[in-house]
Amino acid sequence: MNMDSVNKWLTLAANLGVISGIVFLAVEIEQNSDQLAAQTRNTMFEARAALENDSANNTGGIAEIIAKLRKGELLTDTEGVQIRARRFRTLRTFEYIIQESPSDRVYLQVPYMTAVVAADSGLIDLWQITSTGGSFDPEFVRFMDEYVLPQQ
């Protein structure tokens, strides 16, 4: 074999090595994307669970506050602050869920959000106060106004 032939074979081997490296990198990126999506879904479920567990575990006496609201009883100033903070946290959790949901799955969140809002009319009152003041992402505001709140 002459030197030119050897160089061609070495070039071919090097090019095949580069191509296989690119294929390997593409597979790794795909696996990383799948893992990141799964991790995001898990975080969203944890956020929803934490929100529900506040009531179930009576964190900060929130169950008693909700019971007083349902009975139409007046809240103390402290209880008013607590329920407002919980409602704001609920809206922030909704915002996080919408921002992190894949675009083709975001509308699957509407029934859950609608049910939560239906169970606490105070969320609508807080939304009307906070949604226009720049507290939330404009896309989230549009989503809530268009898909969740009209059902109330």
Side-chain angles (χ1 to χ4, degrees):
M1 283 181 120
N2 63 23
M3 200 58 143
D4 188 43
S5 181
V6 170
N7 281 337
K8 286 181 181 178
W9 281 107
L10 288 175
T11 301
L12 178 64
N15 288 339
L16 289 175
V18 168
I19 290 172
S20 63
I22 290 171
V23 169
F24 176 76
L25 183 62
V27 168
E28 288 294 314
I29 288 172
E30 181 65 28
Q31 287 176 345
N32 189 32
S33 296
D34 291 345
Q35 184 179 13
L36 186 58
Q39 189 175 13
T40 300
R41 281 191 305 275
N42 183 53
T43 302
M44 287 188 310
F45 289 130
E46 286 177 359
R48 285 174 61 171
L51 194 60
E52 297 302 324
N53 284 337
D54 276 357
S55 297
N57 295 331
N58 198 21
T59 304
I62 202 72
E64 284 89 3
I65 295 170
I66 292 170
K68 282 177 81 171
L69 285 171
R70 288 186 178 152
K71 292 177 190 174
E73 296 177 15
L74 293 177
L75 301 179
T76 66
D77 290 342
T78 302
E79 290 170 334
V81 169
Q82 286 178 299
I83 195 68
R84 187 177 187 286
R86 182 182 189 275
R87 287 171 174 158
F88 196 79
R89 179 175 169 213
T90 299
L91 293 173
R92 279 282 180 231
T93 301
F94 286 179
E95 181 179 36
Y96 172 76
I97 289 170
I98 294 307
Q99 288 175 339
E100 296 302 321
S101 291
S103 59
D104 62 333
R105 299 182 55 92
V106 73
Y107 300 102
L108 297 175
Q109 307 299 331
V110 172
Y112 168 74
M113 293 177 165
T114 302
V116 171
V117 171
D120 184 1
S121 62
L123 278 169
I124 296 172
D125 298 335
L126 181 63
W127 178 255
Q128 290 171 346
I129 295 167
T130 58
S131 65
T132 58
S135 296
F136 297 101
D137 178 72
E139 282 299 308
F140 172 64
V141 171
R142 183 196 58 75
F143 180 86
M144 287 290 288
D145 289 341
E146 194 170 321
Y147 297 102
V148 177
L149 296 176
Q151 299 181 32
Q152 302 306 315

